[in-house]
Amino acid sequence: MAILVRTKGQKWLPAKRLEFKDESDLQRVLHESPDLIMTHEEELPAVFIREAALRGSGFTDLVGVDASGNVLIIETKLAKNREIRREVIGQVLGYAAFLWGMSYEEFDELFKSRAGKSIADLFLEKSESISIEEIIASITGNLEQGRFKLLIAVDDINPELEKIIAYISNFRSGLLLEALEVKIYQQGETEIFVPQRHGQAIGAGGGGSPTSLTIDDVIAGAPDDHSRRLLSVLIEQWSKLGHTVQPRTAGPTFQADVRGQLQPIFWAFRNRVQALMSTLPRRGVAADVVAKYRSALAALPGFDSKSMMSDARPAIFFSGISEAEIRNFVIESAKVVEEWRRAAKACILFSLRTHKVHFLAIQRRRRASFGD
């Protein structure tokens, strides 16, 4: 198919197709311009790293995440490479299998080792309004359940690869596999990127992205009766205090209203609850309040004291605690909310007093000037 380009009012001119020198050239183009890798949610920013080392599985060409917490695994192949046929499917599935069950901390280390920055830092560079807590929770859930978006980027797709991808995409297995055919043309100083997708991703629910779980989904998905019971108690006790439990893709977030804004306090997953120690100070909780929270949790039976005192997001697994401990966890978490609200109220009162003093000073100066 010919690509024609023109400047308005001028005649149409044919654009010349540019060839990729090798697969690293295609990889570089996609890495430098991640917006070219459309994720069906084109407005969402995404971050990628190149050639992440996966022990026993080799090096992935590109691994990325978008602002919904979707994990993307991309393998690049040129038409002249014989592996563009069946082998590339095995490669990308092998990378997915290696990432399945990986902890968020291990996954984040891949980004730190290749980009020199954490996933959170890379996203905050793009926008400070992004909810890092929700991204991390979604990534955690996707890694745990093996929900990935697999993309094979090629310069020319062949019929065999196209048919394999169409076949896999036809099954509602939750596997999201597509091919991205990438062609670049040039006319003068203008370059044109022409992408074409093959194998529309079909998830378990018929869409490209996993939907939020309901509370019942979360409880039903717990691995055993004990975990289901503790999840139910956790949700019930937090709700009784007048706080909010909101289902998300990976699990529910437990929030509290502070100055009219819902703030995340902790998350829950199928088999554990996770405190947001690194998030609380960033959102305005005093350091001494967080320190007391850490110490209180570290003293609870079944809680890993070292993790509670040092980890950014310490996890408490239901298998190691009782119902009494989960109730105490809720109590200690609620204390953080009360301290946060008290400090926020004091800040408002101080601000009002400051404004009042300033206003009275202005009034006195005005009266003095009129008196003169």
Side-chain angles (χ1 to χ4, degrees):
M1 180 182 68
I3 300 292
L4 302 178
V5 183
R6 73 169 181 175
T7 302
K8 189 174 181 180
Q10 304 297 316
K11 68 176 184 178
W12 292 98
L13 298 172
K16 176 185 176 183
R17 183 174 175 185
L18 301 179
E19 299 295 333
F20 294 103
K21 297 175 185 176
D22 50 34
E23 285 163 6
S24 65
D25 193 25
L26 172 56
Q27 184 187 124
R28 177 187 55 77
V29 168
L30 296 176
H31 181 259
E32 290 177 352
S33 303
D35 291 342
L36 301 178
I37 308 170
M38 298 173 293
T39 65
H40 299 297
E41 299 175 66
E42 288 83 355
E43 300 302 317
L44 293 177
V47 296
F48 287 88
I49 53 172
R50 295 177 65 183
E51 298 179 342
L54 305 181
R55 292 186 304 277
S57 297
F59 292 81
T60 61
D61 287 345
L62 290 165
V63 174
V65 290
D66 65 22
S68 281
N70 295 308
V71 177
L72 301 102
I73 304 170
I74 299 164
E75 182 67 14
T76 57
K77 283 287 181 284
L78 299 185
K80 61 186 179 184
N81 189 330
R82 291 180 59 190
E83 291 182 351
I84 196 174
R85 296 176 182 273
R86 301 172 187 173
E87 291 88 342
V88 69
I89 299 290
Q91 278 184 297
V92 76
L93 289 176
Y95 299 146
F98 181 85
L99 292 177
W100 179 28
M102 180 179 282
S103 70
Y104 174 80
E105 288 70 25
E106 290 176 299
F107 187 66
D108 197 32
E109 281 299 322
L110 294 176
F111 283 76
K112 290 177 182 177
S113 64
R114 296 300 299 161
K117 298 175 183 177
S118 68
I119 294 171
D121 289 338
L122 290 170
F123 271 113
L124 289 173
E125 286 180 355
K126 291 179 174 288
S127 172
E128 293 187 357
S129 64
I130 289 176
S131 175
I132 297 300
E133 300 81 19
E134 294 202 15
I135 293 175
I136 291 174
S138 293
I139 293 171
T140 301
N142 288 331
L143 290 169
E144 185 177 286
Q145 298 177 40
R147 285 195 306 248
F148 306 124
K149 292 190 173 186
L150 313 180
L151 189 65
I152 298 169
V154 299
D155 57 341
D156 274 304
I157 195 166
N158 61 52
E160 185 177 4
L161 177 61
E162 185 174 11
K163 189 168 184 178
I164 291 171
I165 289 177
Y167 174 75
I168 294 174
S169 299
N170 189 53
F171 291 93
R172 296 175 180 268
S173 63
L175 176 65
L176 307 178
L177 175 65
E178 294 179 278
L180 174 65
E181 190 174 17
V182 176
K183 295 180 180 178
I184 296 180
Y185 295 83
Q186 183 177 36
Q187 210 300 306
E189 296 298 314
T190 302
E191 291 184 346
I192 305 123
F193 181 86
V194 183
Q196 184 177 357
R197 285 203 175 240
H198 300 265
Q200 179 73 27
I202 300 175
S209 296
T211 56
S212 292
L213 302 173
T214 66
I215 295 298
D216 289 340
D217 289 336
V218 175
I219 296 173
D224 50 56
D225 289 341
H226 177 70
S227 298
R228 281 189 284 276
R229 174 59 185 160
L230 293 197
L231 264 173
S232 298
V233 170
L234 187 67
I235 293 165
E236 175 189 311
Q237 293 300 308
W238 192 251
S239 300
K240 273 186 178 180
L241 293 172
H243 301 319
T244 302
V245 181
Q246 288 193 351
R248 291 287 190 269
T249 301
T253 171
F254 291 71
Q255 303 173 332
D257 187 303
V258 180
R259 293 181 63 176
Q261 184 176 356
L262 285 176
Q263 300 285 1
I265 309 301
F266 57 90
W267 281 78
F269 300 92
R270 296 180 309 136
N271 62 344
R272 67 192 184 281
V273 62
Q274 199 159 33
L276 303 178
M277 298 301 185
S278 62
T279 299
L280 295 173
R282 194 165 63 238
R283 288 183 171 266
V285 180
D288 64 317
V289 174
V290 177
K292 284 195 295 184
Y293 186 37
R294 283 186 180 275
S295 297
L297 296 187
L300 293 177
F303 284 54
D304 185 330
S305 59
K306 183 178 178 181
S307 175
M308 294 304 115
M309 295 303 295
S310 60
D311 288 359
R313 292 171 299 279
I316 304 101
F317 289 87
F318 296 135
S319 59
I321 60 175
S322 68
E323 184 176 323
E325 274 76 62
I326 209 70
R327 290 177 183 273
N328 285 329
F329 172 80
V330 170
I331 291 170
E332 296 301 334
S333 299
K335 288 179 182 178
V336 173
V337 175
E338 292 308 310
E339 292 280 0
W340 193 354
R341 286 174 171 173
R342 193 176 296 116
K345 184 177 180 180
C347 184
I348 293 173
L349 291 174
F350 176 79
S351 178
L352 289 173
R353 283 196 294 268
T354 301
H355 283 299
K356 183 177 180 180
V357 169
H358 182 62
F359 174 77
L360 292 174
I362 292 174
Q363 293 299 311
R364 283 195 296 271
R365 285 198 296 270
R366 284 180 176 174
R367 285 196 294 269
S369 65
F370 287 140
D372 292 342

